[in-house]
Amino acid sequence: MVSNAITNCVRFKMGEGKTTSFWEDFWVRDRPLKLQFSCLYKLSNKEEGKVSDMGLCLNEIRTWKLH
């Protein structure tokens, strides 16, 4: 399918992630992460968190901390 091929090959930069919602924004396909990974979402104490709240980015490598 063409849309899958495009999705698999496209990358984007979001900067610091201060305005991008980690759980609410659509990252893959047509559902937010909170629905795609509902068990992880329920464990997280950062349900309203932005990408910048979910970890650290050093030398363009992000380390995630979802709780």
Side-chain angles (χ1 to χ4, degrees):
M1 197 163 147
V2 173
S3 63
N4 287 342
I6 292 171
T7 302
N8 290 335
C9 295
V10 173
R11 303 273 187 248
F12 63 93
K13 290 187 177 188
M14 71 180 77
E16 295 179 7
K18 292 183 179 181
T19 60
T20 306
S21 173
F22 184 82
W23 293 111
E24 299 286 336
D25 285 351
F26 289 30
W27 292 92
V28 180
R29 298 194 178 102
D30 59 349
R31 293 174 44 196
L33 290 180
K34 74 176 192 175
L35 295 179
Q36 291 186 29
F37 300 99
S38 58
C39 291
L40 286 175
Y41 176 72
K42 290 174 187 174
L43 293 173
S44 176
N45 62 3
K46 298 179 182 178
E47 290 95 358
E48 304 298 322
K50 303 295 183 198
V51 170
S52 61
D53 300 330
M54 299 299 187
L56 301 172
C57 187
L58 298 171
N59 300 322
E60 297 187 20
I61 298 172
R62 182 160 292 277
T63 302
W64 298 105
K65 185 171 183 176
L66 303 180
H67 53 79

